[in-house]
Amino acid sequence: MAETYTERGIERPTEGEEKWLTDRRVKVLGIAVAGIFTLGVLFFLLLILTQFVDYQLLVTILPQFIDALILVLQIIVISAALSLIFGVLVGLGRVSQTGFTQRIATLYVEFFRGTPLLFQLFVVYLGIPALWANGQFPLKNWSFAAAIIGLTLNHTAYIGEAVKGGINSVSGGQSEAARSLGMSYIDSMRYVILPQAWRNALAAIGNDLVILVKDTSLLTVLAIPELISVFRNVNSATFDAWTPIVVVSVAYLVITVPLGKTVRTLESRSMWGSER
């Protein structure tokens, strides 16, 4: 009855390991590495802000970046809203009991997750107008529309997979209980399954929305005057790299940090028994 760890096949730590590899030393080492890294980053930032940023140029170029930021926010809001709506539909299609619907949703997800976003943007931006004769394409501001279409198509696939995972994480007994109460499939999904699936998928959806924000940097290839396009223009005109880099960094963080905090807040509020 008195089995030892060694008898069970688990070796005890050697004397050397007990002497050097302790929880306290690992904790102290982690703090030291994190502290050195933090000091290094702070020193680098201080060096850049004091030696390489031209604050007179910063004041001059700031209005251009504000206009670009407003444009990026418009694209993000529209694309995110459409991706969430269509992502739920794709997620429902992925778990559909109809084989044809499930296969179509699966093909959609496989294509848009299996090909680069940059390629998809080119397909939309260059491929669709090529279906018309030269000069006959009806939309004038096509680059803006192509950006929204490309981002929406791509991120709908990822959000659809997140929704599918959220639905599959809900116990099958929940659906059976809803159906036993007389609910239809649609009502059981709407009132029982999807609210729980949304909670389970919220982290993945939030991460994808943050990625969507960063993916707007690819829109420079569509001749859209977004943040990276303005950065390239300023750098080409002034040969100053660090001043526009700092502005672009701050602009993206202004979007992603509040977005990440909002997602974490929603996650904490969606947990059962949490304080509202």
Side-chain angles (χ1 to χ4, degrees):
M1 295 294 291
E3 264 186 310
T4 64
Y5 286 111
T6 305
E7 291 172 345
R8 294 181 181 180
I10 302 176
E11 297 182 358
R12 292 179 179 275
T14 64
E15 292 184 2
E17 289 175 330
E18 287 181 341
K19 182 177 180 180
W20 295 106
L21 192 60
T22 64
D23 290 344
R24 178 178 175 79
R25 288 196 175 98
V26 171
K27 180 179 179 180
V28 171
L29 179 62
I31 293 173
V33 171
I36 292 171
F37 176 77
T38 301
L39 289 175
V41 171
L42 291 176
F43 174 78
F44 179 74
L45 290 176
L46 184 63
L47 178 67
I48 296 300
L49 293 175
T50 56
Q51 300 296 323
F52 294 96
V53 174
D54 184 344
Y55 289 95
Q56 291 183 344
L57 175 62
L58 179 63
V59 174
T60 303
I61 65 177
L62 195 57
Q64 301 176 54
F65 281 100
I66 292 176
D67 291 339
L69 178 61
I70 293 173
L71 178 62
V72 167
L73 285 172
Q74 292 174 351
I75 294 173
I76 290 170
V77 169
I78 298 173
S79 300
L82 293 176
S83 297
L84 287 171
I85 294 171
F86 294 130
V88 171
L89 297 178
V90 169
L92 290 173
R94 293 280 279 131
V95 299
S96 173
Q97 298 175 352
T98 304
F100 177 75
T101 302
Q102 187 182 74
R103 283 191 290 271
I104 294 298
T106 300
L107 286 173
Y108 175 88
V109 169
E110 292 298 330
F111 176 81
F112 283 99
R113 292 209 312 168
T115 56
L117 174 59
L118 185 60
F119 164 75
Q120 296 164 19
L121 290 172
F122 278 135
V123 169
V124 175
Y125 181 62
L126 300 175
I128 293 179
L131 299 175
W132 278 259
N134 290 338
Q136 299 300 314
F137 189 64
L139 294 180
K140 300 302 180 183
N141 190 16
W142 174 238
S143 58
F144 182 81
I148 292 174
I149 293 171
L151 290 173
T152 298
L153 290 174
N154 181 269
H155 287 274
T156 290
Y158 287 94
I159 291 178
E161 280 298 281
V163 172
K164 175 207 168 191
I167 292 174
N168 288 338
S169 68
V170 178
S171 171
Q174 299 277 342
S175 179
E176 294 175 4
R179 299 301 292 272
S180 68
L181 293 174
M183 287 187 177
S184 64
Y185 176 80
I186 294 176
D187 287 341
S188 64
M189 274 290 177
R190 180 180 177 184
Y191 296 109
V192 179
I193 305 301
L194 281 180
Q196 299 178 71
W198 175 259
R199 184 192 70 224
N200 297 334
L202 188 57
I205 291 174
N207 289 337
D208 186 72
L209 293 179
V210 172
I211 294 173
L212 186 152
V213 174
K214 295 185 288 185
D215 281 345
T216 58
S217 62
L218 296 176
L219 301 182
T220 184
V221 301
L222 306 188
I224 291 179
E226 44 73 56
L227 293 167
I228 300 300
S229 296
V230 176
F231 161 76
R232 293 170 61 186
N233 294 337
V234 171
N235 178 245
S236 298
T238 65
F239 299 102
D240 185 328
W242 278 109
T243 302
I245 283 175
V246 169
V247 179
V248 171
S249 301
V250 172
Y252 277 116
L253 290 174
V254 163
I255 304 174
T256 57
V257 170
L259 178 59
K261 182 173 179 56
T262 300
V263 171
R264 289 191 295 271
T265 301
L266 290 174
E267 281 186 84
S268 64
R269 288 179 176 272
S270 65
M271 298 302 293
W272 295 117
S274 62
E275 294 184 3
R276 304 282 172 151

